[in-house]
Each structure stands twice: as structure tokens, then as C-alpha cells.
Amino acid sequence: MKSNRIALRFNNFFVNNERAIHELNYLFWECTRRCNLNCRHCGSDCAADYKVKDMPFEDFLNAILPLKKISKPDTITIAITGGEPLLRKDLPECGTELRKNGFLWGIVTNGYVYNADIHRRLLSAGIGAVTLSLDGLADNHNWLRNNARSFANAVTALDLIASCGRLNYDVVTCVNKKNIKELLPLKEFLLEHKVRQWRLFTIAPIGRAFGNDDMQLSNEQVLYLMNFIYEARKDKRMRTTFSCESFVGKYERNVRDNCFFCRAGINIGSVLIDGSISACPNIDRAFVQGNIYRDNFTDVWNERFEIMRNRKWTRTGSCLNCKDYKYCKGGAMHLWDEKRDNILTCLHQQILSAEHTL
């Protein structure tokens, strides 16, 4: 594989510029913490009977409307997440109002209740994007999702979504010790179902995944995953990428389109279920920057988030003496907790360790 050093150096200039401008492009709305599944790896630890009520849509809309004064709303995509956003009966109405105000919107879903009627209503409401989870073939997907019907329902959702030419969609797979050996047959399955984009993740040791050895890949398995994605990207029938969750050294540009860049708090923000203003919903709540019920969202976005735009504080623990820190800058924000003394996991170091033992 060719060296990525030149690309990495240019990427540093780009990242520094993006941090200075910090234009909001992607806004998560955690509209509910209720969920119809009980997944083993859930970073949010959601449940069907979650005690916090769904956020009233009017509260969210009123918080983001001032964004129209500083940005064209069609440059901002609202990603509605949860929990499971489809548990909200008013979701199509929420989407319709977002489009009326010029915002693009999409959902992140497990697909369990996605059916033809919901599909039609979402399209009528102007949905533009869907991210659907499919975590292996039937047995392994159902194991991770903790539900015997989850795979069949997700495939029903997949076929509906893939049949719509105007939807921007992708399938995401959380790779773990149980499903890593079936990635090739899963790839062929997705191709058979006309999937155009496939994004693969590893599972961070947060939420329910914390302390669960089945969730965390060994060093050798991380290396296997990188090589699998590298080879899969040669097949142009489907765009296969590794997620943006971690710097992966020499595999940069070989497993994703661009070099690693954690955009949390730089281009990505979120409004959480209790009104908290943060970046990606999986980031530790210790990094919350404000709350829509007491702060102006645009003021918070423009004037705070320094801890995410200047990450020099991450040069500690195992990052302190890493020769590639200048490219990684401490990795992804969701891999740091409130202690801020060490990154929770480092795929780059796992890859180097695996290669050292070969």
C-alpha cells in the first residue's frame, strides 16, 4: 500500500481550517430515548420504558430556527436519532415542518418497525436520508440486537429503502467477534439487496458494550477488518468505507475516502433528549456545552465547543508519546470520558501490535 504521509499532512491543513470556521453541517436530534430493542452494544443504554419523556418537537424547532439567520438551512442536515425515532408517532409531521423551514432531514433506525406505510409517510414528509443497521446475517444480527425477529424486519426495511431511487441511504454494521468472519457473505447479501453504500464500525467500550469481551476486536481482528475493507473497496458495485471513529495509520485513504477527521463539535452538533447541546450523541455527557432550555443554540455553537476544536488536552496517557499524534489528535471524541486521562481504545496501536507479531 502506498504511503499516506503527504495526504495526512494536507489533511492537517484542512482540519485546522475547518476547526477555525466550525460551520455546522450535521445536527443530531435525540428525539427519544425509547427503543423497541435491547441491543447488547448500545452506547446510549436505551429501553422501551425509558423514563425521560420524548422532547416536544416545538422545543427543538424553536431552538434551531435562529440558525437560518447565519446559515442557509439546506446546508444543515438534521439526523433524527434515539433510541428508535420511529417510535414517535409524529415523526412524519416533524419531518414535514423541518422541510417547510428549509432543513434537510434523515433518520438513524434499527428498521424493526419500518414498513411500507411508514416508508410512504416518511417520503411524503420529505425525508432525504436513512441510516439502517444490519449487523451480520440472521443469527449474528439477532444475537447482537437481542431479538429473534430483528434481522427479518431489518431486511424488509432495507428492501423498501433500497427501492427508492431518491433516498440517500447507507447500511451500517457494528463489527464484533461473532460477526467478523461472515463479512464476506454479508457483503454479497447486501449486493443482492441492491445496497449502494456500506459503512463498517468497531464497537467502543461504552454503554452496554463496556466490559463485554464479545464486543471488542482483538488486535489481529482489527488488522483483518482493515484488510477486508481495503479489498472490498475494489468492488465498485458498492461503496464500502470504514467509519470516522479512529485513526488507522497506513490504512488511511485505503479504507475510507478521506483521512481521519473527527468532526464532533466542528461540523457536527446535537440536541440531546433533555435539551443538552453537544456533538455526537455517543460522546460522554461530561462534554455537554449548554442546554436549549436556558441557552441560545447558535450562541453556544459559535462561542463554546473549545474543548472539541482545540484538542491539545488529549496529548496524555497513551497519546503522549505517539509519533502519529500530529495526524490523529487524540482520535474520536466518543473515545474519551470525563476523566480525560487516556483514550479508551486505539485502533492504530492495535494494528501496529498485530503487525509486530506477524
Side-chain angles (χ1 to χ4, degrees):
M1 296 179 190
K2 63 182 180 181
S3 171
N4 286 313
R5 295 294 169 176
I6 296 175
L8 289 169
R9 285 195 288 269
F10 276 107
N11 188 60
N12 269 354
F13 290 114
F14 170 72
V15 170
N16 290 337
N17 186 61
E18 289 294 292
R19 286 174 174 167
I21 298 171
H22 53 259
E23 179 182 17
L24 180 65
N25 302 132
Y26 207 74
L27 179 62
F28 285 98
W29 176 33
E30 189 182 49
C31 71
T32 183
R33 290 295 293 275
R34 294 180 293 127
C35 191
N36 44 16
L37 296 179
N38 185 33
C39 303
R40 300 175 190 273
H41 66 309
C42 182
S44 301
D45 204 18
C46 299
D49 60 347
Y50 198 80
K51 304 304 180 184
V52 177
K53 293 182 179 180
D54 295 354
M55 178 182 288
F57 174 69
E58 294 76 14
D59 294 357
F60 174 71
L61 183 63
N62 290 336
I64 67 169
L65 282 179
L67 288 170
K68 296 170 70 173
K69 298 178 181 179
I70 61 174
S71 299
K72 292 182 179 179
D74 63 0
T75 64
I76 301 172
T77 296
I78 309 298
I80 304 178
T81 185
E84 172 50 53
L86 291 178
L87 293 185
R88 285 188 66 124
K89 301 301 183 184
D90 65 343
L91 188 62
E93 289 73 24
C94 297
T96 297
E97 287 301 310
L98 289 171
R99 288 302 296 132
K100 283 181 180 178
N101 283 280
F103 293 102
L104 305 175
W105 71 282
I107 62 171
V108 180
T109 179
N110 59 38
Y112 193 74
V113 296
Y114 200 108
N115 57 33
D117 179 60
I118 289 174
H119 182 63
R120 176 187 56 78
R121 293 175 63 207
L122 293 178
L123 290 175
S124 296
I127 191 171
V130 179
T131 291
L132 176 70
S133 295
L134 197 69
D135 298 305
L137 299 177
D139 288 346
N140 282 321
H141 176 91
N142 289 341
W143 171 81
L144 190 65
R145 297 285 162 176
N146 228 353
N147 186 291
R149 294 187 297 166
S150 179
F151 179 79
N153 290 16
V155 173
T156 296
L158 173 62
D159 289 338
L160 286 166
I161 294 164
S163 70
C164 181
R166 73 170 180 82
L167 270 180
N168 180 20
Y169 73 94
D170 64 353
V171 170
V172 298
T173 298
C174 291
V175 183
N176 57 74
K177 286 183 177 176
K178 287 185 175 289
N179 66 7
I180 190 167
K181 288 301 183 181
E182 68 177 21
L183 292 180
L184 185 56
L186 179 58
K187 171 179 175 278
E188 295 305 317
F189 178 87
L190 295 177
L191 285 168
E192 289 172 7
H193 287 261
K194 299 179 173 57
V195 173
R196 299 191 299 268
Q197 297 190 76
W198 185 27
R199 196 157 36 114
L200 294 100
F201 285 75
T202 55
I203 300 173
I206 59 178
R208 292 187 197 138
F210 179 77
N212 187 336
D213 186 58
D214 284 329
M215 301 295 115
Q216 311 305 312
L217 299 180
S218 69
N219 297 344
E220 291 73 22
Q221 287 171 330
V222 172
L223 182 61
Y224 172 87
L225 176 60
M226 293 300 107
N227 284 308
F228 171 82
I229 298 173
Y230 174 62
E231 292 299 325
R233 286 172 63 80
K234 297 176 183 178
D235 187 339
K236 301 305 179 182
R237 292 176 293 171
M238 180 171 64
R239 178 173 170 261
T240 303
T241 62
F242 185 52
S243 69
C244 60
E245 67 191 280
S246 182
F247 177 75
V248 290
K250 73 178 187 181
Y251 285 92
E252 292 294 325
R253 298 288 302 279
N254 290 307
V255 296
R256 52 169 75 102
D257 296 342
N258 299 297
C259 295
F260 170 73
F261 176 19
C262 176
R263 296 176 180 270
I266 299 168
N267 306 118
I268 297 174
S270 69
V271 175
L272 305 179
I273 191 65
D274 62 352
S276 294
I277 301 169
S278 188
C280 297
N282 280 338
I283 289 176
D284 194 288
R285 265 42 177 181
F287 295 102
V288 163
Q289 299 295 297
N291 192 290
I292 64 169
Y293 292 113
R294 64 171 183 270
D295 300 307
N296 179 284
F297 180 88
T298 55
D299 289 345
V300 173
W301 180 257
N302 288 328
E303 299 170 9
R304 302 185 193 178
F305 285 93
E306 178 65 13
I307 196 169
M308 301 181 199
R309 294 167 188 168
N310 183 350
R311 303 191 186 180
K312 292 180 180 179
W313 58 270
T314 61
R315 188 142 205 177
T316 185
S318 60
C319 295
L320 182 61
N321 297 311
C322 178
K323 65 181 179 65
D324 289 316
Y325 178 85
K326 57 183 174 292
Y327 306 127
C328 178
K329 297 293 193 299
M333 280 295 303
H334 73 280
L335 297 177
W336 292 85
D337 61 20
E338 60 183 345
K339 296 177 183 178
R340 304 178 193 175
D341 58 357
N342 201 11
I343 193 168
L344 297 177
T345 185
C346 177
L347 298 185
H348 179 40
Q349 289 302 320
Q350 286 191 264
I351 292 167
L352 292 176
S353 296
E355 290 180 330
H356 182 71
T357 60
L358 291 179

